[in-house]
Amino acid sequence: MRTNPIKQLLKSGKPTVGTWLSLGSVTAARFLARSGFDWLTVDVEHSLVNVETTTHMIASIADAGSVPLARVPSNRHDHIKRVLDNGGFGVVVPMVNTRQEAQDAVSACLYPPFGTRSVGGSVHALNFAANPVDYYARANDEILIVLQCEHIQAVRNFEEVYSVPGVDAVFVGPNDLAASMRSADGKPPHPDVFKQALADILAAAKRIGVPAGIHTFSIEEAKSRIADGWQFIAVNSELKFLTDGAKQVVDGLGLGKGGDLAKY
């Protein structure tokens, strides 16, 4: 049975770098799975992708030898179960704000006696190049569990929330985190205040021994985050790569002013 190299890299204190897949394109997933990223995350939360297409995307990533993850729509047992039963090597769970929510997410990822994941599915074993018996026996050791820190309340209670056994990494969604820090009149937080929140997250993650990750939007930012000690690094998305590349050509040839069409 294949092992999950991302779990081992994170445990050893090393950084991992991947990107987000938000277009629901199996073909894009096939190409990016061969591009050198450590992992790829299919975004099922904010995209148009359905479970059938997600399954094919995950399979194409696994067959290329890369590590397929999926961000589920919400922290629900059925969402997590379905992604894992269809071959995901791990999940990214959004908006985890309490210890109970963290416990629920971890439980949904693990088979008894350590969790409440039910036994079923078929293609999960295929993606791990295993038979079902071996998969059921070893999946708990290989599934990557990443919980998102996207609200200032979770930052304030970081150690209580994310110290739940079984959490492999905590991933910051900077857009939602900043949104949760808006003032009563809707103004975004001051850059220094937001920077301090990120520093607090990283420091707390180091205290409890859980790798921290964050979404970045340039090579320079990714390098800076890695140098600071962040380990689970996302850079843009296939959509952002597409629109940034198009904008560069349009602007460079003077065809008009290329628009900023994608946030990430």
Side-chain angles (χ1 to χ4, degrees):
M1 177 166 160
R2 286 178 62 182
T3 59
N4 188 337
I6 306 306
K7 285 180 72 84
Q8 300 308 314
L9 287 169
L10 293 174
K11 286 180 180 178
S12 65
K14 296 179 181 178
T16 67
V17 179
T19 191
W20 241 234
L21 304 179
S22 59
L23 291 176
S25 170
V26 177
T27 303
R30 292 185 66 195
F31 276 99
L32 282 174
R34 292 164 173 81
S35 67
F37 285 109
D38 295 320
W39 48 265
L40 300 174
T41 295
V42 181
D43 187 359
V44 190
E45 181 187 14
H46 287 301
S47 75
L48 53 77
V49 66
N50 60 25
V51 68
E52 181 176 357
T53 302
T54 297
T55 301
H56 294 315
M57 292 173 70
I58 289 172
S60 69
I61 296 165
D63 285 350
S66 188
V67 175
L69 309 174
R71 177 164 70 173
V72 293
S74 64
N75 186 8
R76 279 179 25 186
H77 191 282
D78 55 336
H79 288 322
I80 293 171
K81 174 176 61 178
R82 200 167 196 194
V83 164
L84 295 180
D85 284 354
N86 283 295
F89 278 41
V91 293
V92 180
V93 183
M95 205 60 74
V96 176
N97 294 327
T98 69
R99 186 173 182 85
Q100 184 62 57
E101 290 172 354
Q103 290 172 332
D104 290 345
V106 171
S107 179
C109 292
L110 302 177
Y111 290 122
F114 304 104
T116 55
R117 181 182 174 189
S118 59
V119 176
S122 56
V123 295
H124 45 36
L126 288 180
N127 284 6
F128 276 90
N131 59 53
V133 172
D134 287 343
Y135 178 85
Y136 294 132
R138 296 177 54 190
N140 282 359
D141 296 327
E142 304 303 334
I143 296 300
L144 186 76
I145 304 173
V146 181
L147 307 185
Q148 286 203 254
C149 180
E150 301 185 275
H151 196 282
I152 190 60
Q153 196 60 42
V155 178
R156 293 170 181 150
N157 299 322
F158 190 94
E159 295 183 40
E160 176 188 356
V161 175
Y162 302 109
S163 61
V164 171
V167 177
D168 292 303
V170 176
F171 183 68
V172 176
N175 295 328
D176 278 321
L177 177 58
S180 76
M181 298 172 66
R182 290 172 182 160
S183 62
D185 58 358
K187 292 181 180 178
H190 188 279
D192 289 343
V193 174
F194 185 72
K195 183 178 179 180
Q196 185 59 53
L198 295 182
D200 291 343
I201 290 171
L202 184 59
K206 289 179 177 179
R207 283 196 298 272
I208 63 175
V210 174
I214 190 169
H215 213 127
T216 65
F217 303 96
S218 69
I219 295 171
E220 293 73 20
E221 184 186 2
K223 287 182 176 179
S224 175
R225 298 299 187 194
I226 291 171
D228 288 340
W230 299 82
Q231 290 182 249
F232 188 80
I233 306 294
V235 182
N236 286 334
S237 67
E238 91 281 57
L239 173 59
K240 194 74 166 72
F241 292 143
L242 173 70
T243 57
D244 282 355
K247 185 178 186 301
Q248 184 178 12
V249 172
V250 169
D251 291 349
L253 294 177
L255 301 177
K257 183 174 176 57
D260 185 11
L261 300 176
K263 181 69 173 178
Y264 75 92

